[in-house]
Amino acid sequence: NAGVTQTPKFQVLKTGQSMTLQCAQDMNHNSMYWYRQDPGMGLRLIYYSASEGTTDKGEVPNGYNVSRLNKREFSLRLESAAPSQTSVYFCASSAETVSGNTIYFGEGSWLTVV
Amino acid sequence: GENVEQHPSTLSVQEGDSAVIKCTYSDSASNYFPWYKQELGKGPQLIIDIRSNVGEKKDQRIAVTLNKTAKHFSLHITETQPEDSAVYFCAASFTGNQFYFGTGTSLTVIP
């Protein structure tokens, strides 16, 4: 019953450093997402992938890149971290059903850029 | 695009009382409305959802109502308990991959 697993849980970066957040789901979902969560702003979509091999920008894609490595894995990369990218990041995946999609979240990755 | 507004941002209730959180959406094409509960340090968990062909859905102490004409939907929690304390998010979706979230309501249930 792992669901959506993301690593690392916590990370501190210096401005300009790069890092990759890893995400994997074991529910055989086609769609995967990366969101960031900031106080008072809810969940904002960074990138999503509707299927293996495809990715699309969300609401706040600047400063990020993603890779849909296979059906299970969807990674988020910060090439040159900035303090404005200090946030909590959530990976998610969604199940397609006859009546629509339901989205499931991972436990989150707390990133601080100093 | 879709715009989801959620109120109130904070809510305190006495244990045993009811709590109501309201959301409005802007795009009449939205047809799926999930609610998520997020406990401190954890990811959002789906607690209930409703689709546009239904006006109300209940699951034990939790219910969601949808008014498509007015474009608003609400979460109702009855007989609140301290473990209901969390942040609650509403969302609206009208395509398979686009979910638009409210800004969250921090619910505190006072024992």
Side-chain angles (χ1 to χ4, degrees), chain A residues 7-26:
Chain A
T7 58
K9 181 83 170 179
F10 300 99
Q11 184 72 51
V12 178
L13 286 178
K14 293 183 178 179
T15 297
Q17 286 186 320
S18 62
M19 77 158 297
T20 300
L21 299 176
Q22 307 286 354
C23 176
Q25 52 92 9
D26 62 2

Side-chain angles (χ1 to χ4, degrees), chain A residues 23-80:
Chain A
C23 176
Q25 52 92 9
D26 62 2
M27 297 176 280
N28 201 36
H29 291 170
N30 283 325
S31 298
M32 297 187 73
Y33 313 78
W34 277 106
Y35 286 89
R36 60 177 289 173
Q37 184 177 35
D38 302 290
M41 302 190 75
L43 292 153
R44 293 184 293 170
L45 182 64
I46 304 171
Y47 271 94
Y48 70 97
S49 170
S51 62
E52 183 179 351
T54 68
T55 61
D56 287 284
K57 295 179 179 179
E59 182 184 354
V60 288
N62 291 343
Y64 305 95
N65 287 302
V66 291
S67 295
R68 183 73 183 269
L69 304 172
N70 47 56
K71 190 171 186 178
R72 290 187 65 247
E73 298 173 290
F74 188 39
S75 62
L76 178 72
R77 182 161 179 84
L78 287 69
E79 290 291 352
S80 179

